[in-house]
Amino acid sequence: MSTTDVELDISGMTCASCATRIERKLNKLPGVEASVNYATEKARVRAEGVETAQLIAAVEAAGYAATVPTPEPEAAESEDETKPLRQRLLISTALSLPVALMSMIPALQFENWQWLALTLAAPVAVWGAWPFHRAAAVNLRHGAATMDTLISLGVIASFGWSLYALFFGGAGMPGMTMTFTLVGAPRAGGHEIYLEVAALVTVFILAGRYIEARAKRSSSEALRALLELGATDAAKLQNGVETRVPVSQLVVGDTVVVRPGEKVPSDGLVTAGMSNVDASMLTGESMPIEVTEGSRVVGATINVGGRLEVQITRVGADTELARMRRLMEEAQTGKAQVQRLADRVSAVFVPVVIGLALAALVGWTIAGAPWELAFTAAVATLIIACPCALGLATPTALLVGTGRGSQLGILIRGPQVLEQTRTVDTIVLDKTGTVTTGRMSVTEVLPVDVSRDELLAVAAAVESGSEHPVARAIVAASPGGRVESFQSHAGFGVQGVVDGAAVVAGRPSWLAEQWAVVVPADLPKGTVVAVARDGAYLGAIVVADTVKDSSAAAIARFRELGLEPILLTGDTASSAARVAAEVGISRIEAGVTPAGKLDAIRRLQGEGRVVAMVGDGVNDAAALAAADLGIAMGGGTDAAIAASDITVVSGDLTVVADAVRLARRTLGVIKGNLFWAFAYNVAAIPLAMAALLNPLVAAAAMALSSVFVVTNSLRLRGFQGVGRG
């Protein structure tokens, strides 16, 4: 039997435990190995002898929906799923605030106020909380319980009891008021309504879900950014005639024309022309690649030199860009599934709370108490345990932490990011654009029989006619003069007349072989431009990517945080060694391909390390997604930023250290919030079961725990960064 890899889009998941349930259901099928990612809402399945229809049926049997992704996701703009959730949150909030104020402030309780409260709270309890009711029903059909179950039960119980009290108890009488009693007497509870509980629980949990949905949506932007890199059309050459056609219509064997400034439409071989190709969006390296007849070019790279004719060798899913997209998808799906801390506890917490509420109901009934009293005790138990502060614990800390981070130039994607920061022990750094500026500049001038300034001036004059990054670096180092009779020799150098003298500048070997210039043999390694005037050697200029001013200090701070820095680059070993020595990094991996970067991350993880990756290029995107913590520099590509967990807007490497510190601090606050959110509720459960705590006081306890959670989170506003971001 043949083994096939199948990808499915999953819908209907509301928490990480849903992904686990689907994964278990799929893995029960013979010959199936499945991984379900809640963040990306995708299932990756390796199946042997199992049809896709069977996989979809298994997902549907678990209570969810599955579809095969469309072949061309770029053709349709994905719908913003956060929009209806935001609308539900805003409307529910507007309706709930008057209910809460009337219920909590006796001065606002005018005659028959309770009926206005019912009118406002009913849409919130039914329509606003509908996602929780629906999820609870799905879970119930499959014999499972999650936080959605507890939220739904709490809302239904408090709203249902309020209806009973209004229509059958004494709460519907004109002039009815509500009072706060810390300890309730064992009596019938038909004179109290708990509409504010039903409404506020719904609003708080909706707010948490909205924040989570926004974080989830951003995870798909990485793939969209990759797709947008490619060209949309191409100049197809047939029988000497050029025709503009969509890239999707190209087939292997077609010949296309790529003019200066245009993107190479697909992978292929140069059949005519010479030029320089900017592949920085794929390689991350600032130096353009020199291509001539027979050179391989990659789709989405930019032709910055002369006219090229390219024969297409790979199209569609076989291209390098598509391969990198798959690498990133696999890396995202292969991440350890991070469940919210509240969901982890729910597997035990929810059934226990439901059991305690039932125990209170049955216990008071057996004891001969009025059934209203028994029901009040049960409702109070559910409400005191309802995760109001629990729903706020993560979002409020995240909002304050990320808000403070944005002031410091640090963007944190979501709560799932924070859990890895505490255990990260290794930080892998891309070189170009991360440790270095990504811009070429003159680093060394080696004159012979002329002054340094004269050598630079002559070189800048002849290079002023070129747009090559090396030429621009030399021109930026000196005012230079004017050049006449300028000629560029792609891949070798330039020539021209400066102040009446013939000047050539370029590769030392080119000057020696083509112009018979005597060039010293002991020139430095790297990018060296030799200069000659009227056949006489004037000297050499070394051009290199310069190290950022903040990099050395950043490396020192990483070590203070317990992180071992590793330099990972596609550049040469000599260039990498120079940069590493300058900033204080001892471990280097050079000449690494984009796929090699991903392999390096997984190899380090295989050694038991928890790895953070810092990068800025598309070539870093898969590695950023695979790392336990992906950090993108803000000056990098959209694909790298979208694939990362944290983005440093300023591009200052010292701010990366601040990002790790802030993430760790925020995680600490979240854990503290979760502890106290449980502590408040759990401590009061015995009082609720004993009917000594009416549901209104239970709601007050929830409010108190919420105030504590918010206040604790606000401490993050005082976080101070040490970077310049």
Side-chain angles (χ1 to χ4, degrees):
M1 291 185 182
S2 61
T3 301
T4 57
D5 290 327
V6 180
E7 185 182 271
L8 298 174
D9 288 333
I10 308 295
S11 58
M13 293 190 293
T14 60
C15 62
S17 57
C18 297
T20 303
R21 191 174 306 124
I22 297 170
E23 195 171 281
R24 287 175 180 168
K25 195 77 172 179
L26 287 170
N27 285 327
K28 285 181 180 178
L29 296 174
V32 170
E33 182 181 339
S35 173
V36 180
N37 191 307
Y38 170 58
T40 60
E41 296 185 325
K42 289 184 180 294
R44 203 167 196 83
V45 185
R46 174 158 287 186
E48 184 177 346
V50 179
E51 297 293 331
T52 303
Q54 293 176 266
L55 300 174
I56 293 175
V59 174
E60 292 174 346
Y64 306 89
T67 57
V68 177
T70 55
E72 297 182 359
E74 68 270 26
E77 185 68 26
S78 63
E79 183 181 350
D80 185 359
E81 296 177 359
T82 65
K83 188 176 180 180
L85 185 55
R86 180 172 65 248
Q87 184 183 49
R88 193 181 298 267
L89 171 61
L90 291 176
I91 294 174
S92 297
T93 302
L95 293 173
S96 298
L97 283 176
V99 176
L101 292 174
M102 287 188 292
S103 301
M104 298 294 186
I105 303 174
L108 298 179
Q109 295 173 1
F110 56 87
E111 189 171 350
N112 291 321
W113 68 272
Q114 65 271 41
W115 297 104
L116 175 61
L118 175 63
T119 304
L120 295 174
V124 180
V126 178
W127 174 79
W130 181 249
F132 312 129
H133 301 324
R134 184 178 56 214
V138 170
N139 292 328
L140 181 62
R141 284 201 304 270
H142 296 87
T146 64
M147 296 309 278
D148 286 320
T149 307
L150 197 55
I151 295 165
S152 178
L153 278 177
V155 171
I156 290 173
S158 54
F159 184 69
W161 178 257
S162 298
L163 290 177
Y164 166 79
L166 285 169
F167 289 99
F168 302 104
M173 301 297 293
M176 172 268 192
T177 59
M178 290 176 58
T179 58
F180 272 105
T181 305
L182 291 178
V183 179
R187 60 180 175 81
H191 295 278
E192 300 284 1
I193 59 174
Y194 316 115
L195 295 171
E196 81 286 357
V197 176
L200 290 180
V201 165
T202 300
V203 168
F204 286 142
I205 305 303
L206 279 175
R209 289 290 169 85
Y210 173 65
I211 293 168
E212 183 181 51
R214 287 188 60 183
K216 281 172 57 182
R217 175 171 167 77
S218 66
S219 68
S220 64
E221 293 176 358
L223 300 180
R224 195 176 304 121
L226 267 183
L227 291 169
E228 289 172 355
L229 283 178
T232 56
D233 59 6
K236 182 178 176 181
L237 184 63
Q238 193 168 15
N239 300 324
V241 179
E242 293 183 29
T243 308
R244 302 301 297 190
V245 298
V247 170
S248 58
Q249 292 183 10
L250 294 177
V251 297
V252 174
D254 283 346
T255 298
V256 296
V257 175
V258 186
R259 290 182 170 78
E262 292 184 340
K263 290 182 179 180
V264 178
S266 194
D267 298 0
L269 289 174
V270 176
T271 56
M274 288 179 23
S275 183
N276 294 300
V277 173
D278 179 3
S280 59
M281 62 181 64
L282 291 174
T283 66
E285 302 305 323
S286 55
M287 180 71 72
I289 300 168
E290 296 159 350
V291 296
T292 59
E293 188 173 334
S295 299
R296 188 175 77 89
V297 289
V298 177
T301 56
I302 301 173
N303 178 16
V304 295
R307 178 182 182 275
L308 293 175
E309 291 183 12
V310 177
Q311 184 179 43
I312 302 301
T313 57
R314 290 188 293 188
V315 295
D318 297 327
T319 63
E320 185 74 10
L321 187 63
R323 190 174 70 86
M324 291 195 66
R325 173 178 175 261
R326 287 194 299 274
L327 276 176
M328 191 159 58
E329 270 189 332
E330 290 167 6
Q332 285 185 334
T333 306
K335 270 190 174 181
Q337 295 184 22
V338 182
Q339 296 181 334
R340 292 180 303 169
L341 295 177
D343 279 327
R344 292 177 186 166
V345 180
S346 68
V348 175
F349 184 68
V350 175
V352 166
V353 168
I354 294 172
L356 291 175
L358 289 174
L361 179 66
V362 173
W364 279 106
T365 302
I366 293 174
W371 73 268
E372 291 96 337
L373 174 62
F375 191 71
T376 299
V379 171
T381 303
L382 276 177
I383 291 173
I384 197 65
C386 197
C388 178
L390 203 58
L392 281 174
T394 296
T396 52
L398 189 65
L399 278 174
V400 179
T402 54
R404 180 57 183 152
S406 65
Q407 294 174 339
L408 300 172
I410 301 164
L411 304 180
I412 300 174
R413 171 157 295 175
Q416 72 277 10
V417 171
L418 307 174
E419 294 188 78
Q420 297 297 343
T421 60
R422 180 161 292 180
T423 53
V424 165
D425 54 28
T426 304
I427 185 162
V428 176
L429 304 164
D430 172 54
K431 180 179 74 67
T432 306
T434 301
V435 178
T436 65
T437 62
R439 297 185 299 274
M440 308 298 289
S441 62
V442 173
T443 58
E444 198 172 357
V445 181
L446 306 170
V448 175
D449 298 332
V450 293
S451 68
R452 180 183 187 278
D453 291 342
E454 184 178 357
L455 173 59
L456 274 175
V458 171
V462 72
E463 293 281 14
S464 64
S466 172
E467 290 299 317
H468 195 281
V470 170
R472 289 198 294 268
I474 293 174
V475 171
S478 174
R482 296 185 60 187
V483 61
E484 300 172 353
S485 304
F486 173 81
Q487 283 185 289
S488 175
H489 302 269
F492 300 102
V494 296
Q495 70 178 99
V497 177
V498 178
D499 296 330
V503 177
V504 291
R507 292 189 178 188
S509 59
W510 181 60
L511 266 67
E513 296 168 5
Q514 184 71 22
W515 303 94
V517 176
V518 179
V519 179
D522 59 347
L523 290 175
K525 292 182 178 179
T527 304
V528 180
V529 178
V531 184
R533 182 171 57 190
D534 288 335
Y537 178 71
L538 297 185
I541 299 171
V542 181
V543 177
D545 187 6
T546 53
V547 173
K548 292 180 181 178
D549 295 337
S550 61
S551 293
I555 300 304
R557 291 196 176 104
F558 293 149
R559 295 189 192 279
E560 291 172 6
L561 289 169
L563 308 177
E564 179 189 352
I566 298 175
L567 190 64
L568 189 67
T569 177
D571 210 345
T572 62
S574 58
S575 296
R578 176 185 64 81
V579 171
E582 192 170 339
V583 300
I585 297 177
S586 56
R587 182 168 174 179
I588 307 167
E589 293 193 31
V592 182
T593 63
K597 289 188 176 184
L598 178 58
D599 292 339
I601 296 296
R602 287 177 170 162
R603 185 172 64 253
L604 289 168
Q605 290 170 330
E607 295 172 4
R609 294 173 180 259
V610 182
V611 182
M613 168 74 188
V614 186
D616 73 326
V618 175
N619 65 312
D620 302 319
L624 285 167
D628 299 289
L629 183 68
I631 305 174
M633 306 303 279
T637 63
D638 290 342
I641 292 171
S644 66
D645 300 309
I646 296 175
T647 299
V648 174
V649 177
S650 67
D652 184 349
L653 199 57
T654 56
V655 184
V656 174
D658 290 340
V660 174
R661 287 176 51 239
L662 176 61
R664 289 179 176 179
R665 182 82 58 83
T666 305
L667 177 63
V669 170
I670 287 174
K671 288 187 173 181
N673 284 349
L674 290 171
F675 171 78
W676 286 108
F678 275 114
Y680 270 102
N681 295 344
V682 171
I685 284 178
L687 292 177
M689 293 182 66
L692 296 174
L693 193 65
N694 66 44
L696 187 60
V697 178
M702 277 202 310
L704 183 60
S705 65
S706 300
V707 169
F708 175 85
V709 161
V710 172
T711 305
N712 190 42
S713 299
L714 288 175
R715 293 190 302 114
L716 288 168
R717 294 172 65 180
F719 178 86
Q720 295 296 322
V722 295
R724 299 176 302 165

